[in-house]
Amino acid sequence: MAVNSSTHRALPLNRPVQLRFRLSPAFFYYRTSSRPLFSSDAPNLRLVSVRAHKAGSDGFSNKKSVNLTDSEAPIGSSRSSTSSAIDFLTLCHSLKTTKRKGWINHGIKGPESIADHMYRMALMALIAGDIPGVDRERCIKIAIVHDIAEAIVGDITPSDGVPKEVKSRMEQEALNEMCKVLGGGMRAEEIQELWAEYENNASIEANLVKDFDKVEMILQALEYEMEHGKVLDEFFLSTAGKFQTEIGKRWAAEINSRRNSRLANKLS
């Protein structure tokens, strides 16, 4: 279903968050539980409002809506910040349910979600050996937020034909709106800063998490090859020679070595 400025759908939660988009005539944003669908034209996506509907007895919203910015509690109050936190977390729910499109395109049944991917990246940052000058906690935070804007725009892959600069702009606008839902403040600013640091590859921590993004992908590809009997060369070829850090190179080499041994055993 194409989403437009007059279409709303409430989530069956106590305080569901609704998103309303304004789309150019050339761009249609299609959202299912699995993926967005893009037209061949460059998209122009802008989130223009976020509204919360009070739930009825059946768990779905009634017709009365309340602007999140019109909270009964004063801005900065405990009640207001609590409400904003739950609204933000509800918005992030789609990260748990939106499946990574690269796997869908290759016919993987029941593939990982965006949140699955980010979680194992955070684990990588947690277990990686100490690296001089690298802030491990910051790496974990970057891993957690680097794909967070996909809660709104979905998992955009090269197969969608969306130019890199357009994708970045869409995600930045989505992140801006998510931080407004959170209520602004220090935490929202931190999320913005961490996301921009990763997007711009602007630090050694960002370099490392960029590598973890690729390492997690090829590790998942190997696992799906083993589970589904597929050959997923594309993911290994697209990452070859693109690792920036020594640990990224070592981990990628280990995964490729295991894959090569497995393929050799199948041929013998």
Side-chain angles (χ1 to χ4, degrees):
M1 180 180 68
V3 181
N4 56 45
S5 61
S6 62
T7 302
H8 295 274
R9 182 170 65 86
L11 301 173
L13 300 172
N14 287 338
R15 186 180 173 82
V17 172
Q18 289 198 329
L19 306 177
R20 188 155 61 89
F21 299 92
R22 179 173 298 156
L23 307 177
S24 70
F27 174 59
F28 297 93
Y29 181 82
Y30 172 72
R31 191 69 182 272
T32 68
S33 61
S34 59
R35 62 187 181 187
L37 178 67
F38 297 89
S39 74
S40 59
D41 296 319
N44 178 21
L45 170 65
R46 185 160 70 93
L47 183 67
V48 295
S49 71
V50 180
R51 300 171 69 83
H53 283 208
K54 296 180 179 179
S57 59
D58 59 355
F60 292 86
S61 66
N62 55 33
K63 294 183 179 180
K64 183 178 180 181
S65 63
V66 179
N67 287 326
L68 298 181
T69 54
D70 296 335
S71 172
E72 296 175 1
I75 297 296
S77 72
S78 175
R79 180 176 176 182
S80 176
S81 61
T82 298
S83 176
S84 295
I86 299 305
D87 286 332
F88 176 81
L89 294 172
T90 300
L91 180 54
C92 289
H93 173 259
S94 64
L95 295 170
K96 298 169 63 177
T97 58
T98 303
K99 306 303 181 182
R100 299 249 290 166
K101 191 188 294 183
W103 310 125
I104 294 173
N105 291 347
H106 282 78
I108 301 298
K109 295 182 179 179
E112 65 170 349
S113 69
I114 297 167
D116 292 332
H117 169 65
M118 293 195 294
Y119 176 73
R120 189 154 64 172
M121 285 176 60
L123 285 179
M124 290 176 177
L126 179 64
I127 69 171
D130 291 335
I131 303 173
V134 172
D135 184 337
R136 180 193 306 275
E137 180 179 339
R138 190 165 189 83
C139 289
I140 294 171
K141 289 180 177 180
I142 292 173
I144 291 171
V145 307
H146 82 285
D147 278 341
I148 197 169
E150 293 180 11
I152 290 177
V153 302
D155 183 23
I156 304 172
T157 68
S159 65
D160 294 310
V162 179
K164 184 176 180 180
E165 62 275 13
V166 175
K167 176 179 181 289
S168 181
R169 185 175 69 247
M170 291 169 62
E171 292 180 347
Q172 179 66 74
E173 291 177 0
L175 185 66
N176 292 344
E177 295 302 330
M178 293 181 74
C179 288
K180 289 179 184 178
V181 172
L182 185 55
M186 292 179 60
R187 291 292 174 258
E189 291 173 3
E190 182 181 27
I191 289 172
Q192 290 267 18
E193 180 182 315
L194 292 165
W195 183 87
E197 186 175 325
Y198 177 86
E199 184 72 5
N200 298 318
N201 204 18
S203 67
I204 189 171
E205 288 82 8
N207 298 163
L208 186 57
V209 179
K210 288 274 187 181
D211 277 5
F212 288 157
D213 184 52
K214 298 179 183 69
V215 168
E216 204 288 323
M217 184 178 71
I218 62 172
L219 178 56
Q220 186 65 77
L222 175 59
E223 292 164 347
Y224 283 149
E225 284 187 336
M226 297 170 66
E227 293 171 13
H228 299 276
K230 290 181 176 289
V231 177
L232 300 171
D233 285 336
E234 173 187 326
F235 299 93
F236 297 91
L237 294 173
S238 67
T239 56
K242 295 184 178 179
F243 295 92
Q244 306 173 79
T245 65
E246 288 305 312
I247 190 170
K249 293 173 184 177
R250 290 198 306 271
W251 286 12
E254 175 66 19
I255 294 167
N256 277 287
S257 175
R258 295 187 181 195
R259 181 177 188 250
N260 291 337
S261 295
R262 178 175 175 274
L263 293 175
N265 289 336
K266 287 182 67 176
L267 293 174
S268 62

